[in-house]
Amino acid sequence: MLNFENLGKSAFPGVGPYDIPAIAPVTDYPAGDFLPISAAMAEKHPEEYNLHCFVDDYRFARLWNTPDRYLPLLGKFRAVCSPDFSTYTDMPVAMQIYNHYRKHWCAAYWQLHGLTVYPTISWSTPESYNWCFDGEPVGGIVAVSSVGTQANAESKRLFLLGYEEMMKRLDPHWVIFYGRVPEACDWNVIRIPPYYDRIAERRREANRQ
């Protein structure tokens, strides 16, 4: 088979009406801090960190486009969160489902090659609940981002509704959380500080020397 949409590399058993690849749960509490995927290549001590993909899609699209090329790099880190391909409410539903599929294909492919993968959960409107949790493991640790969801009352409402639905369906032990944590979500949360905070601290330390 030609490598069309990565099917020539691996085709995984599908979950739900859209055959979303299933991924296994991770229950081990993450050791080490988190870095954005955009900082992975420059990190000199990757064994000390986990990676997340809470950055613009174009910064990690290469993980889908050429997955084998980046396996050695990802494998140097303690763990990696599955790609956070966008599921914006104003995107065509077909594209949201495609992005959900790509996220799961990458996660399943990484697990197949021995990487520790924390599932990144995302949703849009309540209609997305029909597919956005397909393939997600129950009872493990998950990752979410609230960035861009707290700008107005409606986006906040949709975020909290989806978060509540995630907690019901997936019953996670911990939630790796990037962005501002709403009060209603502040339970068993592992906060990821913004990467620019780390850069600013390094600059302050350099200035003190």
Side-chain angles (χ1 to χ4, degrees):
M1 176 187 292
L2 294 176
N3 187 38
F4 178 71
E5 296 291 326
N6 288 328
L7 293 177
K9 295 183 179 298
S10 192
F12 300 98
V15 176
Y18 303 108
D19 289 332
I20 305 300
I23 57 176
V26 177
T27 56
D28 292 337
Y29 192 94
D33 291 331
F34 283 82
L35 291 177
I37 190 69
S38 53
M41 296 181 107
E43 180 52 50
K44 296 179 180 179
H45 302 285
E47 70 280 356
E48 297 179 6
Y49 295 96
N50 309 283
L51 291 176
H52 69 79
C53 294
F54 298 125
V55 294
D56 293 331
D57 289 29
Y58 77 89
R59 294 185 178 275
F60 56 83
R62 61 187 184 272
L63 302 178
W64 162 260
N65 295 334
T66 53
D68 291 331
R69 180 179 178 183
Y70 294 98
L71 280 172
L73 173 64
L74 300 178
K76 294 178 181 179
F77 289 83
R78 289 179 174 270
V80 58
C81 297
S82 55
D84 186 37
F85 289 112
S86 298
T87 54
Y88 298 130
T89 56
D90 58 354
M91 289 173 65
V93 175
M95 185 171 288
Q96 295 181 42
I97 296 170
Y98 174 61
N99 280 347
H100 182 62
Y101 172 86
R102 291 198 295 165
K103 172 178 70 175
H104 275 260
W105 188 93
C106 288
Y109 196 63
W110 296 346
Q111 288 187 336
L112 181 66
H113 287 83
L115 276 65
T116 298
V117 182
Y118 292 107
T120 298
I121 315 300
S122 66
W123 53 88
S124 56
T125 63
E127 287 73 24
S128 72
Y129 305 164
N130 293 324
W131 51 264
C132 72
F133 301 111
D134 287 351
E136 307 291 7
V138 175
I141 298 174
V142 301
V144 301
S145 171
S146 66
V147 173
T149 68
Q150 306 298 297
N152 56 65
E154 178 61 9
S155 61
K156 289 180 182 178
R157 184 185 73 85
L158 290 174
F159 179 81
L160 291 175
L161 280 176
Y163 195 92
E164 182 180 1
E165 191 70 17
M166 175 191 75
M167 298 302 287
K168 285 183 194 175
R169 296 196 186 206
L170 305 183
D171 190 27
H173 293 170
W174 292 89
V175 178
I176 300 165
F177 209 110
Y178 185 75
R180 191 175 73 80
V181 181
E183 185 176 349
C185 305
D186 197 5
W187 177 87
N188 277 22
V189 166
I190 304 166
R191 287 175 168 81
I192 302 178
Y195 185 56
Y196 59 76
D197 286 356
R198 184 168 178 256
I199 295 175
E201 179 58 30
R202 282 182 173 178
R203 288 174 177 169
R204 285 192 292 268
E205 290 178 0
N207 291 334
R208 286 195 291 265
Q209 294 177 355

